Amino acid sequence: MQKRTLITALTVAALCSHAVFAQDNKFKIGLILPMTGPFASTGKQIEAAARLYMAQNGDKVAGRTVELIVKDDAGTPDTTKRIAQEMVVNDKVQVLAGFGLTPLALATAPIATQSKTPLVVMAAATSSITEASPYIIRTSFTLPQAAVSMADWASKNGIKKAVTLVSDYGPGMDAEKYFKDRLLLNGGQVPDTLRVPMRNPDFAPFLQKVRDIKPDAVFAFVPSGAGAALMKQFAERGLDKAGIRLIGTGDVTDDDILNGMGDVAVGVVTTHHYSTAHPSALNKKFVEAFTKANAGLRPNFMAVGGYDGMRVIYEAAKASKGVGGGDALLAAMKGQIFESPRGPMFIDAQTRDVVHNMYIRKVEKQNGQLYNIEFDTIQDVKDPGKAK
Ligand code: DHB
């Protein structure tokens, strides 16, 4: 080889390795969320929580600069999948995260598998999601965790006959099945199972049906943001006056919109993994910092799923020291155990799903504001959907 050619070759090699180095020196997280459309509050909460985590923990992990790339999928599965593909191929993200609804996570699962990219589910909560790809880790919760806990509480508290009322898609099906099976096992009755459309639901005809059946309670699940409409129509149809109790998963009394629901929400008992009012020092600090950074916005369970998801990603990047790619990151995500604003939390290495406490909470007014006040705890609840 001539000297000149050799020098050119060396220069090109140096430039290439520099380019690779520059790229490698970034740790990119692709955060895909519904930022517009009916589920925009989920995106807003999670993005705010991810940015708070970064503000508190810096943007350097394992010697690399963290870059958060946030994209809006408007809650449409095809869009989520396309964005994920672009993020993996063009942006070369190390991790995919977000996933505001079950269909969005399921549509994207094959991208995670094919590209060996860890996918952190921060919101969606259908049990089966983690089985859709071995690269999926979940930091939100599962509906069976909340529904089984609610059925047990109901059986011990005078609710023998309950009708279920759920959104007609994945998490609603889980809520219905696990609540019903458990209530029946406990000797209760479920005379009807009602399903409302996921988008723009009109609860009135379903609530009328509940009124006619006259059960002790109606057990409800609706996705984050939809609880206010349910609560309003529950009161308008006079179900409370007819002596029918409203119980449900904590999605119904979502902290984000609870204050706007008014006194009809007072006394409603739900089960969930997170309340803004969770009485721990860590949560008080989290709520204070989040509220301050977001013009008074209260963090809800979506925010906590996002905040904890960032923790899992940061700690995995640190532990794998930025080498070994997606497989090393995934391995370092499994088995993480830490204190979250929700309380103690654990990523089960076998199922890649979250194990955490379920709290029984009642809506109460404190200092003129409505809160989900926790009054009982079921510790270290694994996803009942996987305990087969
Ligand atoms: C899902 C979405 C929600 O907003 C929620 O509160 C629970 C579950 C979901 O689509 O999985």
Side-chain angles (χ1 to χ4, degrees), residues 42 100-102 124-126 141 143 169 171 221 223-224 251 301-302:
T42 296
L101 297 162
T102 289
T126 302
F141 76 109
L143 262 307
Y169 77 117
F221 161 78
S224 181
D251 313 75
F301 62 100
M302 293 301 184

Side-chain angles (χ1 to χ4, degrees), residues 108 249 265:
T108 313
T249 63

Side-chain angles (χ1 to χ4, degrees), residues 246-301:
L246 177 63
I247 56 174
T249 63
D251 313 75
V252 174
T253 56
D254 184 347
D255 279 307
D256 197 0
I257 51 173
L258 180 59
N259 253 327
M261 291 185 195
D263 285 351
V264 60
V266 172
V268 171
V269 175
T270 57
T271 42
H272 230 204
H273 57 294
Y274 180 69
S275 164
T276 305
H278 178 66
S280 72
L282 184 74
N283 185 51
K284 286 203 174 87
K285 266 172 65 183
F286 168 70
V287 172
E288 218 174 272
F290 185 99
T291 308
K292 198 168 159 215
N294 295 284
L297 182 71
R298 262 191 198 186
N300 69 358
F301 62 100

